């Protein structure tokens, strides 16, 4: 566990993340709320303080429009680059 509280910033990504880390607010929200992991588990797995997990969740819920924009941008990026991926069935021949 890190024991260092981190702010939510946009310095490494084009989306909110923990200061000095590549752990995004969206990722933390997905791990806790969508996958059902305990905040302590997420903190331990990513060597962050559990307070940072709660800080990210608070940020997510305090900025719903910004987080919807992040998700739309992510979906658009996936669509724009979908042609660069290969389906395993195509490789098998």
């Amino acid at each position: 566990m890190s024991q260092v509280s981190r702010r939510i910033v946009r310095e490494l990504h084009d989306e909110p993340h923990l200061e000095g880390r590549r752990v995004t607010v969206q990722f933390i929200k997905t791990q806790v709320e969508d996958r059902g992991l305990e905040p302590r588990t997420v903190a331990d797995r990513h060597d962050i303080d559990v307070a940072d997990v709660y800080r990210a969740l608070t940020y997510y819920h305090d900025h719903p429009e910004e987080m919807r924009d992040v998700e739309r941008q992510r979906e658009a990026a996936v669509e724009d680059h979908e042609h660069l991926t290969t389906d395993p069935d195509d490789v098998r021949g």
Side-chain angles (χ1 to χ4, degrees):
M1 176 171 50
S2 169
Q3 298 295 326
V4 175
S5 291
R6 300 174 190 282
R7 294 179 306 133
I8 304 298
V9 297
R10 283 179 165 258
E11 63 193 16
L12 298 174
H13 293 287
D14 241 2
E15 64 181 272
H17 60 278
L18 297 176
E19 181 180 32
R21 301 297 303 268
R22 294 176 187 246
V23 180
T24 66
V25 167
Q26 180 70 36
F27 176 80
I28 292 173
K29 181 267 185 190
T30 299
Q31 296 301 298
V32 175
E33 295 186 4
D34 299 345
R35 292 192 61 218
L37 295 177
E38 292 295 322
R40 168 64 60 202
T41 301
V42 174
D44 290 346
R45 287 184 181 177
H46 299 284
D47 193 31
I48 58 177
D49 195 82
V50 71
D52 292 328
V53 173
Y54 287 110
R55 189 171 291 107
L57 292 171
T58 299
Y59 187 95
Y60 179 89
H61 292 288
D62 282 350
H63 300 88
E65 187 58 40
E66 178 183 9
M67 298 313 299
R68 279 192 292 273
D69 287 343
V70 164
E71 187 57 32
R72 281 192 288 268
Q73 290 170 3
R74 185 176 289 181
E75 289 170 0
V78 168
E79 287 176 18
D80 288 347
H81 295 91
E82 196 167 37
H83 69 283
L84 300 174
T85 62
T86 305
D87 188 299
D89 291 331
D90 294 339
V91 175
R92 289 186 197 119

